[in-house]
Amino acid sequence: MDLFRVLVVDDEKDFLETLVKRLNKRNIETAGVASGEQALEMMKQKLFDVVILDIKMPGGMDGIEALREMKKIQPLAEILLLTGHAAVETSIEGMKLGAFDYLLKPIKLEELLVKLAQAFEKKDSHDQKIRSARIKELIRFPGRVFDQEKP
Amino acid sequence: MRNELYAGLRRKITAITLVVSITPLLALGATIYFQFSGMYRDKIKEQIYYRAKTQADGVDLFLKERTAILGAMADTNQFNFIVEEKNLLPIFSIVNQRAGAFVDLGVIDNAGRQSAYVGPYDLAGLNYYQQPWFGEVMTKGIYISDVYTGFRQIPHFIIAVRRQENQLGWILRATIDSDVFGAIVKAAQVGRTGDAYIINSEGIFQTRPRFEGKILERSHLDPSQFGGRTTILERMDKRGKSTLYAGSWLNNDKWLLVISQEVEEEMASFYATRSIEIAIIMAGVLAIVMVTLFTTRTTVNRLRETDGRLDELNAQLVHSDKLAALGKMAAGVAHEINNPLAVILQKTGWMEDLLEDEDLSKSNSYAELKASIAKIEEHVERARKVVHGMLGYVRKMEPRLEDVDINDTIMQTLSLLSNYARINNIEIKTDFAVDLPVIASDQSQLQQVFLNIINNAIDAIRKDGLIWVRTKRDDSWLSVNIEDTGPGIPPDKQKRVFDPFFTTKEPGKGTGLGLWISHSIIEKMGGSISFETDVGKGSTFTIRIPIVVPEKK
């Protein structure tokens, strides 16, 4: 498995810390933040492949709002929604906004890993497509790359 | 308590209706009766009044005629002529021919001696000088006596006229048979109780009355009670019967012609009318009472039924409310529990990770720790299931509409359960209606409901049995019948079947949420779940879903 980068956003500190530790232990480069605002800050500085986002966080930024912002900052990052209750409507709304899937707490790490792998795969294939499209373009119009790279 | 209310209401409605409908009827009846009775009485009085008056006039005329003809005879004949009996006889026959009713005729000279006489009695030569009437006729010229028996012992009266011839006065006197005279009066005796007679100013009968005495006896009437000309009296006799008396004075107010009539007889036809009226009113009252009782009973019973249905509906509403509130609570509780569970699970996971590390695997307690962690995870899993069960209820809040073929859905459900049923030797038979329409509903929710109920049926039977699944169309409803040969539901548990966390299964086997969720799902769809159970024989659950036709795409 390629190394990939994950950001966990959850206000439950114990959960957050443990999950981050366990993912890191499994060679997944994981960062954890406790709020939507911090997550956005983090994403502006660093690229992530998958974001695990708790959509029900008391106070501060609403999960859906955070999701919207994240998609603006890193449109290619896959986002896995996590919820402690069955806010199916919210989850559906989230998926409409581009979330990859949603999971219900509590969740076993094994299941989470499966989902993460799927999300990563999707992201990866997406990246591949973009890359191959670029390559095709390069082959067709070699000069174009330089045109685009110019600000 | 309720029954008393209804009885009170019924009494009130009945009383008001009866009073309102019977009172005017009785008032109308009474008014008609009294008005009519008064009019009728007036009519009777009027009739008797005119009868008395005309009869008195008739009698008066009779007397005047007799007096006039006697006067004419006296005036046209000289004393010397008339005193001869052979001359008096033709005169007698002439007056009798012209007027009749004369019994005899006599001539009396101024000394009171009857100088000539024609008639059936031997009265010639009698002297009347001492008689009071003699003086009266000599002074007044005309005299009509009261009825008396006199020398001949037969009731009669006399008419006497005086002739003044030169200085000499003489009298022509005639007797009138009281019976002949009385016959005229009698003509006015009508009906069974009607009487007509003449009394003089002292109340002595001058003609023979029909009932109230004999001629020349004293009548019980006091003539002074009667005023001038014609008057009417009403008197009650001992038996309480009312009699009308009409009295009309005649013969220069010396005599009183009386006509009497029992009121009752005259009123007979009126009483007949009154009986009919009473009968009609009684029939009316009876009809009103019966109709009132009937309609009131019907109305109150209807009300009672409606109230009953309303109560039932209220109970259902309260129940639904309760379930909805529980649903919201469940969502909140789920959230509060799931987060700690998530933490626990991560922590144990971390512990496991650590156990694999370093040399802990060589520790003596390694196996025990590993087992403990596994147990914790198992129980977290158990708690998770309960919470997720509750969340299933919340999840169903938003049903998705898709085209659903009920028979298909059930078949899919049965395929999930077929293995479980087979190992318990339970046969599942189906009887599907073939013409069921495709409806717009949520297939996965329906599947959950069927799964819950059929799974319950299998659990109830335990081993060896039969489950029937039937579908049919019922107007605008689809109904699904799931019948099992299980032990049935004991009466004390029937009420709680749809309550959350109520289960009869062994601990750990059922969460008690299946029927609760199913009930909520179906209610949300506008349908209903009900069951019939026969302890020892089995239960039948019936699911009714409204047929909602999918929109044409």
Side-chain angles (χ1 to χ4, degrees):
Chain A
M1 198 186 286
D2 293 338
L3 185 86
F4 62 96
R5 291 150 298 179
V6 172
L7 176 64
V8 184
V9 188
D10 197 308
D11 62 318
E12 189 80 46
K13 223 177 162 193
D14 285 335
F15 179 81
L16 182 69
E17 282 172 359
T18 317
L19 187 59
V20 170
K21 269 194 283 184
R22 294 187 73 194
L23 289 176
N24 277 324
K25 193 172 167 20
R26 282 164 179 75
N27 291 328
I28 297 168
E29 191 188 324
T30 309
V33 289
S35 74
E37 288 86 348
Q38 290 171 25
L40 294 177
E41 277 307 308
M42 187 79 108
M43 286 176 82
K44 279 174 190 163
Q45 294 157 20
K46 208 175 160 193
L47 280 173
F48 290 97
D49 296 305
V50 182
V51 178
I52 298 169
L53 173 65
D54 189 329
I55 52 173
K56 174 101 185 220
M57 288 176 291
M61 190 179 267
D62 166 60
I64 289 297
E65 192 55 39
L67 170 64
R68 221 188 292 269
E69 294 300 317
M70 285 172 185
K71 277 287 168 189
K72 279 183 195 162
I73 299 170
Q74 296 189 19
L76 291 180
E78 290 300 338
I79 295 169
L80 254 181
L81 298 175
L82 208 55
T83 173
H85 72 129
V88 180
E89 308 91 77
T90 320
S91 307
I92 291 170
E93 200 188 332
M95 284 191 281
K96 276 181 188 163
L97 288 171
F100 172 71
D101 204 347
Y102 79 99
L103 288 166
L104 217 57
K105 277 189 192 174
I107 184 161
K108 284 188 176 162
L109 192 67
E110 292 72 37
E111 291 171 50
L112 182 64
L113 286 173
V114 170
K115 284 279 181 219
L116 278 177
Q118 287 170 357
F120 182 71
E121 211 169 284
K122 187 185 169 201
K123 204 232 167 197
D124 199 39
S125 76
H126 207 136
D127 285 351
Q128 294 284 356
K129 276 182 216 158
I130 294 171
R131 214 171 293 145
S132 63
R134 277 199 182 143
I135 289 165
K136 271 182 200 161
E137 207 167 60
L138 265 178
I139 293 167
R140 272 198 198 160
F141 313 102
R144 183 72 55 89
V145 176
F146 303 103
D147 295 343
Q148 271 185 347
E149 299 280 295
K150 282 174 190 165
Chain B
M1 186 59 204
R2 264 281 167 88
N3 279 339
E4 271 170 43
L5 268 176
Y6 288 122
L9 186 66
R10 200 162 78 189
R11 275 197 297 275
K12 228 180 265 174
I13 296 176
T14 309
I16 291 170
T17 315
L18 286 182
V19 167
V20 166
S21 42
I22 290 178
T23 310
L25 185 66
L26 292 182
L28 184 69
T31 311
I32 290 176
Y33 171 71
F34 286 113
Q35 290 287 330
F36 195 52
S37 150
M39 272 164 58
Y40 207 83
R41 211 167 260 273
D42 288 348
K43 192 89 189 156
I44 292 169
K45 281 185 180 170
E46 201 178 319
Q47 259 180 22
I48 199 171
Y49 174 88
Y50 282 111
R51 242 159 64 207
K53 194 166 177 321
T54 43
Q55 213 65 28
D57 287 349
V59 173
D60 242 356
L61 190 67
F62 175 89
L63 293 173
K64 280 193 181 120
E65 252 177 35
R66 300 312 175 276
T67 314
I69 201 160
L70 281 182
M73 285 304 137
D75 286 348
T76 51
N77 292 289
Q78 304 268 321
F79 179 72
N80 292 339
F81 174 78
I82 208 167
V83 84
E84 302 283 332
E85 263 184 28
K86 68 175 190 322
N87 294 332
L88 187 60
L89 193 60
I91 289 171
F92 177 59
S93 54
I94 286 167
V95 293
N96 249 351
Q97 229 170 36
R98 287 287 170 189
F102 290 106
V103 179
D104 60 4
L105 191 63
V107 177
I108 298 159
D109 65 15
N110 62 350
R113 201 181 68 87
Q114 181 140 281
S115 313
Y117 174 80
V118 186
Y121 307 103
D122 185 17
L123 300 175
L126 278 176
N127 195 311
Y128 293 107
Y129 192 79
Q130 294 301 321
Q131 300 278 344
W133 60 266
F134 178 73
E136 204 179 324
V137 73
M138 286 307 275
T139 50
K140 287 188 181 163
I142 293 173
Y143 173 73
I144 299 173
S145 77
D146 282 348
V147 175
Y148 64 107
T149 43
F151 297 111
R152 61 189 85 168
Q153 301 302 317
I154 288 171
H156 64 284
F157 71 93
I158 61 165
I159 299 174
V161 294
R162 183 203 60 185
R163 163 92 193 265
Q164 199 64 32
E165 203 177 336
N166 305 324
Q167 296 306 310
L168 213 72
W170 56 273
I171 293 163
L172 187 61
R173 184 201 61 92
T175 307
I176 291 177
D177 188 337
S178 167
D179 282 350
V180 178
F181 172 69
I184 304 167
V185 179
K186 259 189 200 162
Q189 298 175 345
V190 292
R192 272 189 305 107
T193 60
D195 206 348
Y197 46 83
I198 291 174
I199 55 175
N200 69 8
S201 52
E202 276 105 45
I204 308 294
F205 283 116
Q206 301 298 304
T207 63
R208 194 185 312 269
R210 195 168 166 198
F211 301 110
E212 301 180 33
K214 286 181 180 157
I215 194 161
L216 291 177
E217 277 181 356
R218 181 167 290 275
S219 141
H220 61 275
L221 283 178
D222 177 4
S224 63
Q225 284 177 306
F226 292 88
R229 291 303 297 156
T230 312
T231 39
I232 292 177
L233 287 182
E234 186 166 356
R235 299 176 82 194
M236 300 278 261
D237 69 7
K238 287 147 269 170
R239 291 166 296 153
K241 282 191 176 166
S242 180
T243 305
L244 274 177
Y245 291 92
S248 191
W249 290 100
L250 58 102
N251 191 12
N252 290 324
D253 295 346
K254 279 163 70 185
W255 290 351
L256 181 70
L257 182 120
V258 177
I259 288 183
S260 73
Q261 189 77 55
E262 269 186 20
V263 176
E264 213 163 284
E265 188 189 352
E266 286 297 302
M267 296 287 274
S269 63
F270 169 72
Y271 289 141
T273 312
R274 185 182 63 178
S275 306
I276 293 171
E277 192 198 343
I278 289 173
I280 290 172
I281 289 176
M282 292 303 282
V285 168
L286 195 71
I288 289 171
V289 169
M290 272 161 50
V291 170
T292 305
L293 288 179
F294 177 74
T295 45
T296 310
R297 182 184 300 252
T298 315
T299 310
V300 172
N301 283 350
R302 285 261 168 78
L303 196 72
R304 192 193 300 237
E305 275 170 31
T306 313
D307 281 359
R309 273 201 291 272
L310 218 68
D311 284 351
E312 228 170 80
L313 206 68
N314 272 337
Q316 278 176 14
L317 281 177
V318 167
H319 191 63
S320 302
D321 269 8
K322 200 174 78 181
L323 292 185
L326 276 165
K328 279 182 193 150
M329 210 184 74
V333 168
H335 179 68
E336 291 308 316
I337 291 177
N338 275 341
N339 278 319
L341 285 181
V343 176
I344 293 170
L345 208 58
Q346 289 313 317
K347 289 290 179 193
T348 52
W350 181 239
M351 284 159 79
E352 265 182 314
D353 290 351
L354 293 179
L355 274 180
E356 299 306 324
D357 281 0
E358 304 164 37
D359 296 329
L360 282 173
S361 54
K362 285 162 188 133
S363 159
N364 292 340
S365 311
Y366 175 76
E368 289 244 6
L369 283 170
K370 191 97 174 136
S372 290
I373 289 168
K375 271 285 168 213
I376 292 173
E377 282 179 348
E378 188 189 325
H379 286 278
V380 167
E381 178 60 19
R382 187 174 155 196
R384 193 186 71 96
K385 266 190 186 162
V386 171
V387 175
H388 280 202
M390 290 203 302
L391 289 180
Y393 172 72
V394 182
R395 209 179 282 134
K396 67 98 225 163
M397 292 285 204
E398 203 67 17
R400 257 197 349 242
L401 289 188
E402 55 202 341
D403 293 1
V404 176
D405 180 325
I406 287 285
N407 291 344
D408 236 34
T409 310
I410 295 174
M411 282 316 289
Q412 285 175 28
T413 313
L414 291 181
S415 72
L416 293 174
L417 288 164
S418 59
N419 200 41
Y420 183 37
R422 203 179 315 115
I423 55 172
N424 288 307
N425 195 24
I426 292 167
E427 193 182 354
I428 300 179
K429 287 188 174 177
T430 55
D431 176 13
F432 290 163
V434 287
D435 58 341
L436 296 184
V438 169
I439 58 169
S441 196
D442 185 323
Q443 177 151 14
S444 60
Q445 288 190 358
L446 283 176
Q447 206 158 11
Q448 190 181 353
V449 172
F450 298 139
L451 192 73
N452 278 331
I453 293 175
I454 299 169
N455 190 47
N456 279 351
I458 294 172
D459 285 345
I461 295 171
R462 287 164 186 271
K463 276 210 178 303
D464 310 321
L466 176 67
I467 295 171
W468 267 107
V469 183
R470 302 183 177 89
T471 59
K472 67 170 193 248
R473 186 180 180 159
D474 202 357
D475 285 336
S476 56
W477 298 84
L478 286 182
S479 85
V480 179
N481 252 293
I482 295 159
E483 183 186 341
D484 67 56
T485 56
I489 304 163
D492 58 314
K493 294 190 172 140
Q494 286 171 12
K495 273 200 165 176
R496 301 182 53 201
V497 161
F498 294 112
D499 285 357
F501 302 110
F502 176 76
T503 181
T504 55
K505 295 174 191 172
E506 293 154 29
K509 243 195 145 184
T511 56
L513 292 170
L515 281 179
W516 178 51
I517 290 168
S518 302
H519 184 263
S520 305
I521 288 174
I522 297 298
E523 280 222 325
K524 188 84 181 175
M525 288 176 180
S528 65
I529 297 188
S530 58
F531 65 90
E532 279 171 42
T533 184
D534 202 346
V535 176
K537 287 190 179 163
S539 307
T540 304
F541 276 77
T542 303
I543 302 153
R544 278 161 62 81
I545 310 161
I547 294 179
V548 182
V549 180
E551 282 175 40
K552 289 274 185 303
K553 283 161 195 163

